Amino acid sequence: MQHRSLIARQSRRAWPAGKAFALVGGAFGCTFLALLFWLAVDQHLVLEGSQRLLDHAVPATLERFRLARNVEQLRLEGEHVFSGRTPVARQQALFIVSLLASHPAVLADARAAGLAGEVERFLGRSMHEGMSEARHAEWAMLASRLTLLADDVSSEGVNLATADLHQMSATMLQSRSKLLLVLALVAVFVGGFVFLIHRHLIQPLQAIDQALSALGSGQAVTPFAPASMLEIRAVERAIGQLREVMQENETTREQLERLATTDGLTGMFNRRHFLAVAEEEIKRAQRYSRPICVGMADLDFFKHINDSHGHASGDLVLQSVAEIFARTLRHSDWGCRFGGEEFAFVFPETGLREAHRLAERLRQSAAASPIALADGSRVDITLSLGLAEASSCPLEIALQRADAALYDAKQQGRNRVVTAPVGHATGETARQPFNGDAPPSVDTAPT
């Protein structure tokens, strides 16, 4: 009975959390909506001010600027009347003065119209009566009046929008204060929410942890309402199990990807994955007109190694050759075990000359690296390599050309690098069987 009453009291204590969330959320929502409406009013005022600027102040300002420009142009043309080198040039300037004096924008302003008429009459008299020093002095005064009038008109245009701009600025400052108030409200709400979370979620979880610790040590457990806490605990367990499953799935995926893309013996790419990678590299090189080469390599007399030392030794040789490739090739190069003792390579951003140097380095590294077998003996290995340029043909054709070059290297005595001629078609020169698996008495590399 006492236990039930304790649970009931705890249940009653749990209710204020919901009430607090409801009260805080309702108060925050109402206040937030009110402030949003308050901000919307200010935004409406700003929009009205902007509309007034667009409808009245801006057009009037533009008219003032246009009038100031016409007045300034009138002054400049008057200068041309006095400074014109020929009578024709002065007459043309006087004609433009007449046009400007009769412009609607000038006639619409009494000050500009009166001064423009005075300038037009003065310049007309000056053209007929001659340009004397007195005329120049009088024109200087008229030009100064025109300049002052242009400045006054420009200032009036600027001042037209001052009132609306001041009102908009005050409204925007008020909106900023309201926005700060909204942010303060959000901060208060977040603080209250964090407090409720800590009071009604974190503390119960801590109580559960203490109860579990007490249970593990054999101490008495203080009763608590288990319903919601057990659900949280179940969620945590489910998340932990999900994490373990995801880790297992990721490990399995990496293993499957490794099995699907690499050769199990050498650790190099397998043929299928290499062809996909090489196809993409060649497409990229052809798209951007970059050089790229492919190569085929074959271990010389590998059948003799298998026959003489066993297939386990042959596997060891293949693994050692793969390690030589890994040490010798660049990070940007791609290689694979193409099949048996045959390997394929793609050399991005590499022309035939550079590819030949890389292949020669591979050949020399293999020739200079005798392999120690499990029975204590050592076996010397050599490579025959064929290269082909692949920047202007499909991957299949490039590999056929490299394979044909490899066949030529075998025919020429092995342990050498042969480059397929550029543009050499291989559709009619498929690789033929090569009779010569037994090693010769002497196998020398080309000088």
Side-chain angles (χ1 to χ4, degrees):
M1 189 67 179
Q2 184 179 3
H3 177 67
R4 290 181 179 179
S5 62
L6 180 59
I7 293 178
R9 287 197 301 272
Q10 289 177 343
S11 300
R12 286 195 297 271
R13 286 199 300 269
W15 277 107
K19 292 181 180 179
F21 279 118
L23 289 175
V24 172
F28 172 78
C30 294
T31 309
F32 190 73
L33 289 176
L35 289 177
L36 285 181
F37 177 77
W38 202 16
L39 289 173
V41 172
D42 290 344
Q43 184 183 18
H44 179 70
L45 293 176
V46 172
L47 290 177
E48 284 186 346
S50 301
Q51 194 64 38
R52 285 196 301 272
L53 282 174
L54 292 175
D55 294 341
H56 303 290
V58 171
T61 300
L62 292 177
E63 288 295 332
R64 292 296 178 181
F65 287 159
R66 190 177 297 112
L67 176 60
R69 184 186 63 189
N70 289 335
V71 171
E72 182 64 18
Q73 187 65 31
L74 184 64
R75 183 188 68 79
L76 293 175
E77 295 300 331
E79 295 287 349
H80 292 162
V81 171
F82 277 89
S83 62
R85 296 183 178 181
T86 63
V88 174
R90 291 193 293 272
Q91 190 64 38
Q92 289 177 348
L94 181 61
F95 177 72
I96 296 175
V97 168
S98 299
L99 291 178
L100 292 172
S102 60
H103 194 277
V106 176
L107 296 178
D109 187 89
R111 298 168 300 172
L115 185 57
E118 184 178 351
V119 169
E120 182 181 10
R121 291 189 297 272
F122 170 76
L123 292 176
R125 290 196 308 270
S126 300
M127 284 287 296
H128 289 89
E129 298 175 3
M131 306 292 183
S132 62
E133 292 294 332
R135 297 286 185 187
H136 279 283
E138 189 175 354
W139 167 246
M141 295 179 60
L142 284 174
S144 176
R145 290 172 60 190
L146 287 172
T147 301
L148 291 175
L149 178 59
D151 292 340
D152 291 342
V153 171
S154 298
S155 299
E156 291 173 0
V158 172
N159 293 331
L160 284 175
T162 301
D164 289 333
L165 289 175
H166 280 309
Q167 182 179 357
M168 291 174 60
S169 177
T171 304
M172 293 175 67
L173 289 175
Q174 185 178 1
S175 298
R176 185 176 65 179
S177 301
K178 294 177 181 179
L179 181 60
L180 292 175
L181 181 59
V182 171
L183 294 177
L185 175 65
V186 172
V188 171
F189 172 76
V190 172
F193 183 77
V194 170
F195 170 77
L196 291 176
I197 288 293
H198 182 267
R199 175 67 180 82
H200 296 283
L201 183 61
I202 302 300
Q203 288 183 354
L205 287 176
Q206 292 174 345
I208 290 175
D209 182 66
Q210 293 175 359
L212 292 175
S213 299
L215 183 62
S217 60
Q219 300 177 2
V221 178
T222 303
F224 59 90
S228 60
M229 298 301 102
L230 290 177
E231 292 174 356
I232 294 174
R233 191 67 179 179
V235 169
E236 292 177 347
R237 277 200 308 271
I239 293 175
Q241 293 173 357
L242 179 60
R243 181 180 180 183
E244 292 177 359
V245 171
M246 291 178 62
Q247 289 177 344
E248 293 176 358
N249 290 341
E250 180 64 19
T251 303
T252 303
R253 187 194 65 80
E254 291 177 355
Q255 292 175 351
L256 290 176
E257 183 178 358
R258 185 165 56 251
L259 291 174
T261 58
T262 58
D263 175 62
L265 178 63
T266 62
M268 299 179 69
F269 283 155
N270 58 27
R271 179 171 181 167
R272 182 188 61 82
H273 186 64
F274 170 80
L275 290 177
V277 172
E279 185 73 26
E280 290 299 321
E281 287 289 343
I282 289 179
K283 287 181 180 178
R284 182 190 63 80
Q286 293 176 353
R287 185 183 307 119
Y288 297 106
S289 300
R290 303 300 301 168
I292 188 169
C293 291
V294 298
M296 297 289 292
D298 190 86
L299 276 171
D300 297 329
F301 308 116
F302 183 72
K303 184 177 183 301
H304 176 71
I305 296 175
N306 276 336
D307 294 341
S308 301
H309 302 279
H311 288 281
S313 297
D315 291 344
L316 179 60
V317 169
L318 291 175
Q319 292 171 346
S320 301
V321 169
E323 293 175 358
I324 293 173
F325 291 158
R327 293 195 305 267
T328 309
L329 289 174
R330 304 170 302 182
H331 291 293
S332 59
D333 300 329
W334 303 91
C336 82
R337 184 185 178 191
F338 207 67
E341 72 275 18
E342 196 169 37
F343 302 88
F345 307 95
V346 61
F347 304 106
E349 300 291 334
T350 305
L352 276 176
R353 180 174 298 179
E354 179 64 21
H356 190 278
R357 284 198 292 267
L358 290 172
E360 185 63 27
R361 189 166 63 186
L362 285 176
R363 186 194 66 78
Q364 293 176 0
S365 297
S369 304
I371 299 172
L373 302 181
D375 58 4
S377 61
R378 300 172 68 87
V379 61
D380 294 325
I381 59 171
T382 59
L383 287 173
S384 297
L385 299 102
L387 299 175
E389 200 266 342
S391 60
S392 59
C393 64
L395 172 63
E396 181 181 0
I397 300 300
L399 288 176
Q400 289 179 6
R401 293 172 57 200
D403 192 56
L406 172 60
Y407 176 73
D408 291 341
K410 292 286 189 179
Q411 290 280 38
Q412 294 175 23
R414 299 183 175 87
N415 192 22
R416 65 191 66 238
V417 180
V418 174
T419 301
V422 177
H424 177 64
T426 61
E428 300 177 357
T429 58
R431 184 172 178 180
Q432 302 296 326
F434 179 68
N435 297 323
D437 291 331
S441 57
V442 179
D443 187 12
T444 58
T447 58

